[in-house]
Amino acid sequence: MADKAKKPNNQNTAAQPAAKPIKITETILRDAHQSLIATRMSTEQMLPIVEKLDKVGYHSVECWGGATFDASLRFLKEDPWDRLRKLRDGFKNTKLQMLFRGQNILGYRPYADDVVEYFVQKSAANGIDIIRIFDCLNDLRNLQTAVTAANKEKVHAQVAMSYTLGSAYTLEYWVDLAKRIEEMGADSICIKDMAGLLLPYQATELVTALKGAVKIPIQLHTHYTSGVASMTYLKAVEAGVDVIDTAMSPFALGTSQPATEVMVETFKGTPYDTGFDSQLLDEIADYFRPMRDEALESGLLNPKNMGVNIKTLLYQVPGGMLSNLTSQLKDMHAEDKYYEVLEEVPKVRKDLGEPPLVTPSSQIVGTQAVMNIVGGERYKMVTKETKDILSGKYGATVKPFNEEVKKKCIGDAETITCRPADLIPDELDTLRSEMAQWSEQDEDVLSYALFPQVAVDFFKYRQAQEQKVDPTLADEKNKAYPA
Ligand code: CO
């Protein structure tokens, strides 16, 4: 390093981070298509390119969890567990990573501890190496069960801090949170910037502070939505961040991540050089490009989500939420209300204790904002989830609720302050008996736990398919699992 000689020989001086190759998590099989094409990439579309992806040398490939589970069952009529096993078969050298919503697992409400533990156990058993666990309120009580379960299964437990802006979210807040995450048994920390709010120079400040406060690795996850993401990565890497999340260029930028190839080229010949083979990356991009063209043609990929949306910095709305709002309003024939709803989002957020906007708080705030605008009066129509958040059922928010709004929504109903899952009795046995007739593998009860109706529809579909293929086999199965 050129400036090494200039550095004073003083142990107390904050040292420049030692430059080392930057590690990369590839998101094309999870976040990239979740952010751009409503999570519609199928297993069949993924498998032919796995062998090449496996040769790149990624730190990990994020390929499961988040919305992929729901979308597989609901729209693609695929078993998500089967996808995971097939990916595991294909990736011989690369760690597989998933996104996990803390006590909400991959669903939209808090589950009992026994379901969380079993889900972590089965994720590990089917091939997951790294579980990125987050909570939409950064209430660490909602993460403890999943972290402890991951420790027990000997998979890497990464705890993500849901990054957001607001008066409560100071540098001290993040440093304190990071220290508590390290203490709770996490193997690494992710700064999860789902809306692309982290600006380049703030990244320097944040990463430097975190690297000085904890010993475990720091990973940065951001979205291109506001257009600053690749600059943010550059500054974060210079400040010593260990891993960054990128997506192959055909499904990069816009509401997705910065492009893998661009970051690889950026660091070439520097101490941060990934050493990746650009030719190989180019071949992988060639594979995905027709998929992108097709999505553009069919309308699945909305050009609105591709450009720079600087409004995301003003409204702090994550990319996935932007595309959800677009389709929600389209369904209600109220597309003209788009910007009105966007302006309502930060107001609702403030009323609800200024939480970060990430699943499920993003859906709760987004849907309530739509209702407030389309309904013509604020909080005239209130969702069950809005009431639950105000009752403390999702955990503690950093800021207090708007008392007036709380009164209008839940009146004098009792609120809770304990860890929400403490009030949820074990659920697995009940769930197992409810869905016994459909069970073909241990994991089915977990699909059912998360999305009861959608899972049963899928089980019916699966049974019909099997009967089509081999009627005797289906008969055998029915015998083995009497209703
Ligand atoms: Co993301």
Side-chain angles (χ1 to χ4, degrees), residues 437 463 471-483:
Q437 68 173 120
Q463 201 172 61
T472 40
L473 184 78
D475 276 354
E476 284 299 307
K477 275 187 180 142
N478 287 339
K479 261 181 242 158
Y481 295 96

Side-chain angles (χ1 to χ4, degrees), residues 27 30-32 34-35 62 99 132 192-195 221-223 245 255 257:
T27 68
R30 205 286 296 177
D31 203 354
Q34 179 173 328
S35 297
E62 191 197 37
L99 183 66
R132 175 179 291 170
K192 180 175 162 61
D193 179 19
M194 50 281 166
H221 173 89
T222 190
H223 287 254
D245 287 11
T255 50
Q257 271 78 51

Side-chain angles (χ1 to χ4, degrees), residues 350-406:
K350 211 159 199 160
D351 293 338
L352 302 185
E354 219 173 345
L357 293 180
V358 64
T359 305
S361 61
S362 52
Q363 282 82 354
I364 299 172
V365 170
T367 305
Q368 192 57 53
V370 168
M371 284 184 162
N372 285 359
I373 294 300
V374 177
E377 184 194 324
R378 305 190 77 220
Y379 303 102
K380 190 169 84 179
M381 291 187 292
V382 183
T383 64
K384 180 183 174 295
E385 288 77 15
T386 297
K387 289 181 187 167
D388 284 349
I389 229 178
L390 290 167
S391 315
K393 285 185 190 163
Y394 284 90
T397 51
V398 173
K399 288 272 187 157
F401 302 125
N402 178 334
E403 277 304 319
E404 222 172 283
V405 168
K406 186 174 157 189

Side-chain angles (χ1 to χ4, degrees), residues 313-358:
L313 287 176
L314 302 174
Y315 305 115
Q316 302 172 12
V317 178
M321 190 174 165
L322 284 176
S323 52
N324 273 350
L325 287 178
T326 317
S327 64
Q328 229 171 324
L329 288 171
K330 201 172 177 178
D331 289 346
M332 300 169 88
H333 302 289
E335 285 153 292
D336 58 315
K337 298 274 200 283
Y338 183 66
Y339 285 110
E340 248 178 284
V341 170
L342 272 187
E343 272 169 42
E344 177 66 8
V345 166
K347 293 177 192 160
V348 173
R349 180 179 168 231
K350 211 159 199 160
D351 293 338
L352 302 185
E354 219 173 345
L357 293 180
V358 64

Side-chain angles (χ1 to χ4, degrees), residues 186-479:
D187 297 300
S188 64
I189 295 176
C190 173
I191 304 164
K192 180 175 162 61
D193 179 19
M194 50 281 166
L197 303 176
L198 184 60
L199 300 172
Y201 289 97
Q202 289 168 353
T204 304
E205 214 176 71
L206 180 60
V207 171
T208 305
L210 295 179
K211 289 301 286 181
V214 297
K215 289 190 186 69
I216 52 180
I218 308 284
Q219 181 156 2
L220 177 57
H221 173 89
T222 190
H223 287 254
Y224 213 86
T225 324
S226 65
V228 302
S230 51
M231 292 185 280
T232 299
Y233 277 171
L234 183 61
K235 297 309 280 182
V237 168
E238 286 176 354
V241 87
D242 298 277
V243 195
I244 53 173
D245 287 11
T246 65
M248 286 302 300
S249 59
F251 287 99
L253 312 185
T255 50
S256 175
Q257 271 78 51
T260 306
E261 304 96 301
V262 174
M263 296 319 297
V264 167
E265 292 303 319
T266 299
F267 295 117
K268 220 162 233 176
T270 75
Y272 312 109
D273 197 333
T274 59
F276 289 2
D277 175 354
S278 305
Q279 193 58 45
L280 176 62
L281 290 178
D282 196 40
E283 288 169 27
I284 295 169
D286 284 346
Y287 174 80
F288 284 108
R289 204 166 294 111
M291 223 181 276
R292 169 202 168 95
D293 293 343
E294 201 182 302
L296 271 170
E297 225 160 89
S298 71
L300 188 56
L301 178 53
N302 188 338
K304 236 187 197 161
N305 297 328
M306 289 308 300
V308 167
N309 191 338
I310 204 70
K311 286 198 181 337
T312 191
L313 287 176
L314 302 174
Y315 305 115
Q316 302 172 12
V317 178
M321 190 174 165
L322 284 176
S323 52
N324 273 350
L325 287 178
T326 317
S327 64
Q328 229 171 324
L329 288 171
K330 201 172 177 178
D331 289 346
M332 300 169 88
H333 302 289
E335 285 153 292
D336 58 315
K337 298 274 200 283
Y338 183 66
Y339 285 110
E340 248 178 284
V341 170
L342 272 187
E343 272 169 42
E344 177 66 8
V345 166
K347 293 177 192 160
V348 173
R349 180 179 168 231
K350 211 159 199 160
D351 293 338
L352 302 185
E354 219 173 345
L357 293 180
V358 64
T359 305
S361 61
S362 52
Q363 282 82 354
I364 299 172
V365 170
T367 305
Q368 192 57 53
V370 168
M371 284 184 162
N372 285 359
I373 294 300
V374 177
E377 184 194 324
R378 305 190 77 220
Y379 303 102
K380 190 169 84 179
M381 291 187 292
V382 183
T383 64
K384 180 183 174 295
E385 288 77 15
T386 297
K387 289 181 187 167
D388 284 349
I389 229 178
L390 290 167
S391 315
K393 285 185 190 163
Y394 284 90
T397 51
V398 173
K399 288 272 187 157
F401 302 125
N402 178 334
E403 277 304 319
E404 222 172 283
V405 168
K406 186 174 157 189
K407 189 128 198 140
K408 185 164 180 182
C409 295
I410 62 167
D412 295 321
E414 228 182 294
T415 58
I416 62 163
T417 54
C418 64
R419 184 184 78 112
D422 285 340
L423 301 176
I424 310 173
D426 281 356
E427 300 178 82
L428 263 183
D429 289 343
T430 316
L431 292 163
R432 277 202 184 100
S433 61
E434 279 173 21
M435 54 74 68
Q437 68 173 120
W438 303 110
S439 184
E440 291 186 13
Q441 57 177 350
D442 289 350
E443 291 80 359
D444 284 343
V445 69
L446 293 166
S447 305
Y448 176 80
L450 262 45
F451 306 105
Q453 192 52 54
V454 173
V456 167
D457 288 348
F458 169 74
F459 296 149
K460 285 180 187 164
Y461 169 85
R462 180 174 65 183
Q463 201 172 61
Q465 292 299 106
E466 283 161 355
Q467 279 164 354
K468 245 192 264 168
V469 178
D470 184 352
T472 40
L473 184 78
D475 276 354
E476 284 299 307
K477 275 187 180 142
N478 287 339
K479 261 181 242 158

Side-chain angles (χ1 to χ4, degrees), residues 135-146:
D135 176 58
C136 69
L137 304 182
N138 287 328
D139 183 342
L140 297 187
R141 298 173 305 171
N142 292 335
L143 303 176
Q144 190 64 65
T145 302

